[in-house]
Amino acid sequence: DTIAPLLDVVTISSTNVKHSTLATIGDTIVLQVEADERIDQPIIKLCQRNASVTRSSYSTFNATVVVNSADIQGSCAILIQFVDPAGNIGIDVTNTTGPEGIIDLYSNKSVIIDTVPPTLDVSITSTNVKHTTLAKAGDTVILDIQASERIDKP
């Protein structure tokens, strides 16, 4: 065997109950790796940390990290280093695979770490012509909410 192994499938997701592409403190980020042949247990870094790696089959592995307050905000970087039993070294992988199972730098799916709660700026006005801070029968009260980041509908 003189042929280096390849990773056919690399997918990443989060256990976040609302969005599998977002992770906050306590969520687990899961990376699934499938090679085109048997490989030794790979070295996998997720979010700049050594991941816990388990073998699912002779060529399939799962890697996990649990998000904590020390994790860097933003996209969870991946690094996969791997070798087959004959010693052929695979090319380091830093991206997930696209829909056809090939490394796709343009549609790279990632998990975004967000451990900072959003803040809200709220202002209340009315259509009262004389005093926009007061309202009487027939006036409309306007509640304007500006979030520091994208939020779900309140």
Side-chain angles (χ1 to χ4, degrees):
D1 179 8
T2 60
I3 299 172
L6 298 172
L7 298 185
D8 291 330
V9 177
V10 178
T11 60
I12 191 168
S13 62
S14 163
T15 59
N16 185 285
V17 296
K18 294 184 89 177
H19 303 285
S20 66
T21 59
L22 298 175
T24 193
I25 295 172
D27 290 337
T28 300
I29 297 175
V30 179
L31 185 77
Q32 295 177 322
V33 175
E34 185 175 327
D36 66 342
E37 64 176 282
R38 181 179 187 90
I39 60 173
D40 295 338
Q41 183 161 313
I43 297 170
I44 300 178
K45 289 192 177 232
L46 287 172
C47 314
Q48 291 84 36
R49 292 193 281 142
N50 290 326
S52 172
V53 180
T54 57
R55 181 184 293 271
S56 299
S57 73
Y58 74 97
S59 63
T60 306
F61 295 85
N62 290 322
T64 60
V65 295
V66 177
V67 176
N68 63 49
S69 61
D71 283 317
I72 298 169
Q73 300 289 309
S75 183
C76 176
I78 66 173
L79 172 62
I80 308 166
Q81 298 173 314
F82 58 103
V83 62
D84 70 14
N88 299 306
I89 300 171
I91 297 171
D92 290 358
V93 172
T94 58
N95 293 83
T96 57
T97 53
E100 281 118 34
I102 58 171
I103 301 299
D104 184 353
L105 300 176
Y106 300 103
S107 65
N108 182 33
K109 182 182 176 198
S110 64
V111 169
I112 305 299
I113 296 175
D114 181 4
T115 60
V116 178
T119 58
L120 300 177
D121 287 325
V122 179
S123 65
I124 302 172
T125 58
S126 79
T127 57
N128 186 305
V129 178
K130 289 186 177 185
H131 301 285
T132 58
T133 58
L134 302 174
K136 63 179 182 343
D139 291 341
T140 302
V141 175
I142 303 163
L143 176 65
D144 182 43
I145 302 172
Q146 298 292 321
S148 61
E149 63 182 270
R150 183 178 167 194
I151 61 172
D152 288 337
K153 185 177 179 179

